[in-house]
Amino acid sequence: MKLLGVLEGILFVVGDEGITLDEMSRILEVSKEEVKQLLLELKNNYEKEDRGIRVRYLGDTFKLTTKEEHKDFYQRFFTQSNHQTLSPAALEILAIVAYNEPITRAEIDEIRGISSSFTLRKLMARGLIKESGKSDLPGRPNLYKTTKEFLDYFGLATKEDLPDISEFLPKDEEKEKDLFTSIYKEEVISE
C-alpha cells in the first residue's frame, strides 16, 4: 500500500477541519519525519501547473485547498444557471440558519451531525447566507445569517413569512412512559 495515496485520501476526508502532523503520524503509523516527506512529495505533485488543488499548512493543520489563481473559475461555477438547484444538504443548512440565526458553523454541524463547511461556502458564494459578525464563544467563530437573496429565492417578503417550524416537528401521540414502570405485574407467591 502506497502511503502517499492514503495521506491524500485523509487530507480529502478531513476537508476544512485539516489534520495535524501528530494525527497523521499516529494514523499512518510512521514517524513525523516520514509524514513530512510524504507531505512534501504530495505538495510538489500539486504545485504543477496542471493541478487544481494544493496542500496548505494553515493554523496548526494541513489541508487541501484550491489554488488561488483559479478563483475566478470557481466563482463562475457557483453562479452559472445550471447549478442553481439546491441540494438536500443545502436546503437543510438554509433551514437551520433561517430558524436559528445568527448561528456559528459549529452549531450548524452539531444540529446536522456532519460537517457543513463546503455547503456553507457554496451558499455564501450564491449569496443566500452571509457572515454577520463574530460570536462571543471561545475562538470568536463567525456568525451566519440569511440574506435578502435568500428571501427572494424563496419568494418571502420577510423572515417572518417562514412557515411555523412547529408544523414540521413530530407530534407525540403518547405521553413519555416512565422507564422504571413495568407493564408486567409482579406475582406474589404464597406458601
Side-chain angles (χ1 to χ4, degrees):
M1 170 172 40
K2 185 137 168 103
L3 288 180
L4 189 64
V6 174
L7 176 62
E8 181 180 41
I10 289 171
L11 288 169
F12 176 78
V13 169
V14 298
D16 277 352
E17 301 300 317
I19 186 167
T20 66
L21 192 61
D22 288 336
E23 290 171 318
M24 284 186 278
S25 176
R26 184 177 39 78
I27 292 167
L28 296 175
E29 298 177 333
V30 296
S31 71
K32 289 182 191 177
E33 287 305 314
E34 289 175 90
V35 173
K36 285 180 187 178
Q37 288 302 314
L38 289 169
L39 284 167
L40 184 60
E41 185 178 344
L42 193 58
K43 183 179 185 305
N44 289 336
N45 286 338
Y46 284 140
E47 289 303 319
K48 294 176 184 169
E49 206 171 289
D50 63 342
R51 301 304 297 264
I53 56 178
R54 64 172 47 129
V55 176
R56 299 287 306 268
Y57 182 70
L58 301 167
D60 65 342
T61 62
F62 290 89
K63 57 183 83 174
L64 294 177
T65 65
T66 55
K67 290 186 174 179
E68 184 71 25
E69 56 267 30
H70 300 162
K71 181 174 108 175
D72 292 339
F73 296 100
Y74 305 138
Q75 287 177 333
R76 259 186 260 149
F77 170 76
F78 286 120
T79 57
Q80 286 182 355
S81 62
N82 62 343
H83 290 83
Q84 292 299 312
T85 58
L86 294 172
S87 69
L91 289 170
E92 182 180 27
I93 291 169
L94 279 172
I96 291 168
V97 172
Y99 284 101
N100 298 285
E101 63 186 43
I103 188 169
T104 67
R105 185 183 57 83
E107 291 168 326
I108 296 168
D109 292 351
E110 186 177 329
I111 292 169
R112 292 188 69 224
I114 189 168
S115 177
S116 305
S117 56
F118 176 73
T119 307
L120 193 59
R121 278 196 315 272
K122 284 175 60 177
L123 291 169
M124 287 178 63
R126 291 192 51 187
L128 299 173
I129 291 177
K130 68 179 181 179
E131 290 180 7
S132 65
K134 298 279 188 182
S135 169
D136 292 332
L137 295 171
R140 308 234 340 118
N142 291 327
L143 289 168
Y144 298 95
K145 70 178 198 174
T146 55
T147 63
K148 182 181 181 305
E149 288 78 8
F150 164 82
L151 295 173
D152 292 345
Y153 186 90
F154 289 99
L156 303 170
T158 67
K159 192 178 155 221
E160 285 71 38
D161 293 336
L162 284 169
D164 182 8
I165 196 162
S166 64
E167 295 175 26
F168 303 102
L169 297 175
K171 294 181 174 74
D172 289 339
E173 294 181 18
E174 291 184 40
K175 290 183 181 177
E176 193 174 315
K177 294 186 178 187
D178 182 2
L179 296 175
F180 298 105
T181 305
S182 174
I183 60 171
Y184 301 104
K185 303 240 185 247
E186 185 176 339
E187 186 178 321
V188 179
I189 301 173
S190 56
E191 291 183 33

